[in-house]
């Protein structure tokens, strides 16, 4: 091994960096190889006409599940809830789940509480579907249906490619449930490659946050799961306390902590969610906040700084797949600038086993 290759193999963050770079190809793989199976599963589930949907997940997968909640309620009109797993795993509750679709999202499919709650849901009469990056996992084994997000092995502790793979897979599922073909998603791989190629822009943005003691991240609608996932990425890699709020919730009290020192990142989806966020952006500007926008170019131009996304022609419900990419890069760049290794955050394990 040459000195150069040895340096590269030991470079902090090299695994996370390479896995982020894989995302356009992962999206292509899902659209070509995964979509037909997802469509078949969606058709089988739709034929059983579930009356309600429960979503079960933790961590990054919980943010993907929240995205699915927006899709199911907005695109399909199905009421949805996020499961409190302890009701079954700790308290032993056995609700009547006949005609209920329970979707469990997990990168590894190995956490005991996810497996136990899914098994209990199936025993209670639910239609169970797991969405994982591991078709041989215990979770896939106890589920009636399973979707493989086809992201390939993910070795860095911060999940990146499995998150966007889960988003796209869940989008295709919901489109299949409503009889659509998901063709609108075909623009994503090329656009994702364009966004990731602009890492230098994100590196310059990261210089604003190297010494940040706290961040606030906000959004509304389809962008809200992005805000939560971005906050999680920043906290688990750089250890900066990052607080995520729906724009509406931010106005109900937490706005008081915003000043001209703590940065605020606004994820502005081009569509109804972004329109709903406008009063929040106006209030933030009025407080002199250091406001950074990730979203359409006109919104970025009106902020202190930001990252303009290629949203023209991209359906609002698909923009979260692109929105998270510069924020993954931001977490990576801030962590590197602070002299830490984003591949191996302290006190974390790749598979978190909760009960």
């Amino acid at each position: 091994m040459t000195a150069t290759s040895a340096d590269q193999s030991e470079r902090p963050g090299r695994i996370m960096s390479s896995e982020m770079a894989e995302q356009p190809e992962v999206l292509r793989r899902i659209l070509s190889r995964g979509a037909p199976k997802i469509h078949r599963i969606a058709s089988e589930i739709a034929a059983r006409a579930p009356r309600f949907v429960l979503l079960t997940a933790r961590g990054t997968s919980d943010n993907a599940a929240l995205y699915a909640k927006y899709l199911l309620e907005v695109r399909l009109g199905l009421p949805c809830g996020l499961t409190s797993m302890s009701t079954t795993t700790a308290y032993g509750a056995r609700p009547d789940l006949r005609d209920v679709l329970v979707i469990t999202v997990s990168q590894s499919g190995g956490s005991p509480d996810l497996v136990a709650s899914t098994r209990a849901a199936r025993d209670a009469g639910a239609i169970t579907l797991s969405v994982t990056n591991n078709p041989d996992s215990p979770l896939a084994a106890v589920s009636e249906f399973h979707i493989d997000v086809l992201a390939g092995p993910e070795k860095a502790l911060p999940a990146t490619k499995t998150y966007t793979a889960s988003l796209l897979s869940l989008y295709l599922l919901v489109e299949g449930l409503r009889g659509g073909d998901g063709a609108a998603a075909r623009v994503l791989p090329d656009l994702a490659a364009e966004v990731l190629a602009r890492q230098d822009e994100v590196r310059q943005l990261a210089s604003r946050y190297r010494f940040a003691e706290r961040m606030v991240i906000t959004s509304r609608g389809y962008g809200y799961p992005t805000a939560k996932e971005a906050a999680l990425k920043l906290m688990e890699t750089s250890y900066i306390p990052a607080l995520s709020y729906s724009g509406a919730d931010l106005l109900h009290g937490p706005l008081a902590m915003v000043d001209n020192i703590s940065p605020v990142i606004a994820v502005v989806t081009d569509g109804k969610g972004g329109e709903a966020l406008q009063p929040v952006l106006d209030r933030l500007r009025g407080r002199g906040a250091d406001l950074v926008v990730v979203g359409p170019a006109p919104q970025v131009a009106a902020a202190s700084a930001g990252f303009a996304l290629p949203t023209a022609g991209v359906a609002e419900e698909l923009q979260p797949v692109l929105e998270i990419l510069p924020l993954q890069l931001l977490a990576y760049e801030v962590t590197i600038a602070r002299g830490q290794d984003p591949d191996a955050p302290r006190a974390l394990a790749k598979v978190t086993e909760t009960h």
Side-chain angles (χ1 to χ4, degrees):
M1 180 181 294
T2 65
T4 300
S5 60
D7 290 344
Q8 287 296 317
S9 67
E10 297 172 2
R11 176 172 53 88
R14 63 180 179 81
I15 304 175
M16 182 180 177
S17 179
S18 65
E19 290 176 350
M20 287 189 293
E22 291 176 31
Q23 290 177 104
E25 184 54 38
V26 171
L27 299 176
R28 290 189 185 94
R29 189 183 307 142
I30 294 167
L31 291 168
S32 62
R33 286 175 42 197
K37 181 179 179 181
I38 294 173
H39 185 77
R40 288 195 299 272
I41 290 172
S43 296
E44 289 188 48
I45 292 174
R48 293 164 66 172
R51 59 185 172 85
F52 192 87
V53 181
L54 286 172
L55 294 145
T56 305
R58 294 216 186 273
T60 284
S61 294
D62 199 34
N63 299 327
L66 180 59
Y67 168 72
K69 184 177 187 293
Y70 276 92
L71 284 174
L72 287 158
E73 291 184 341
V74 175
R75 305 283 288 170
L76 214 57
L78 271 178
C80 298
L82 299 176
T83 303
S84 299
M85 279 176 278
S86 62
T87 60
T88 55
T89 60
Y91 292 94
R94 292 294 180 263
D96 180 0
L97 297 179
R98 287 172 294 179
D99 301 321
V100 173
L101 172 61
V102 173
I103 302 174
T104 306
V105 187
S106 171
Q107 171 197 304
S108 68
S111 186
D113 57 351
L114 293 169
V115 175
S117 63
T118 301
R119 183 186 293 112
R122 191 169 182 178
D123 291 344
I127 306 163
T128 53
L129 166 66
S130 58
V131 180
T132 81
N133 194 40
N134 184 2
D136 299 319
S137 63
L139 178 59
V142 301
S143 303
E144 183 178 357
F145 299 99
H146 175 259
I147 291 173
D148 182 356
V149 302
L150 301 173
E154 189 173 59
K155 298 179 180 178
L157 285 177
T160 54
K161 63 179 181 174
T162 52
Y163 179 70
T164 49
S166 296
L167 296 188
L168 178 54
S169 298
L170 289 163
Y171 169 80
L172 293 173
L173 171 70
V174 174
E175 284 302 289
L177 290 172
R178 63 193 296 269
D181 61 5
R186 293 173 189 161
V187 300
L188 291 176
D190 289 344
L191 292 177
E194 289 179 22
V195 171
L196 290 168
R198 294 162 56 194
Q199 187 164 357
D200 286 348
E201 291 181 45
V202 179
R203 189 173 296 118
Q204 293 176 7
L205 199 58
S207 65
R208 302 170 70 93
Y209 303 126
R210 180 176 181 180
F211 301 109
E213 296 182 358
R214 181 184 67 204
M215 291 189 197
V216 174
I217 308 176
T218 188
S219 189
R220 290 204 69 180
Y222 286 111
Y224 181 42
T226 307
K228 290 176 68 67
E229 174 61 10
L232 177 59
K233 283 292 153 292
L234 282 160
M235 287 189 287
E236 69 183 355
T237 56
S238 69
Y239 319 140
I240 297 173
L243 309 174
S244 59
Y245 294 100
S246 157
D249 287 334
L250 185 63
L251 296 183
H252 284 272
L255 184 68
M257 72 177 174
V258 174
D259 52 29
N260 61 356
I261 298 174
S262 299
V264 178
I265 299 174
V267 180
V268 184
T269 305
D270 192 1
K272 293 181 179 178
E275 293 170 8
L277 192 63
Q278 286 307 306
V280 182
L281 300 179
D282 292 340
R283 291 284 297 277
L284 289 168
R285 293 187 188 100
R287 291 188 61 82
D290 178 9
L291 178 62
V292 172
V293 165
V294 173
Q299 295 286 351
V300 173
S304 305
F307 188 99
L309 289 171
T311 58
V314 182
E316 180 179 1
E317 60 270 17
L318 284 169
Q319 290 175 36
V321 180
L322 302 177
E323 289 168 349
I324 192 58
L325 300 178
L327 294 165
Q328 290 174 347
L329 292 171
L330 181 66
Y332 169 85
E333 292 293 349
V334 168
T335 305
I336 294 295
R338 290 164 71 97
Q340 295 151 197
D341 185 357
D343 284 344
R346 64 193 181 205
L348 294 182
K350 188 60 177 171
V351 179
T352 303
E353 295 191 356
T354 46
H355 296 269

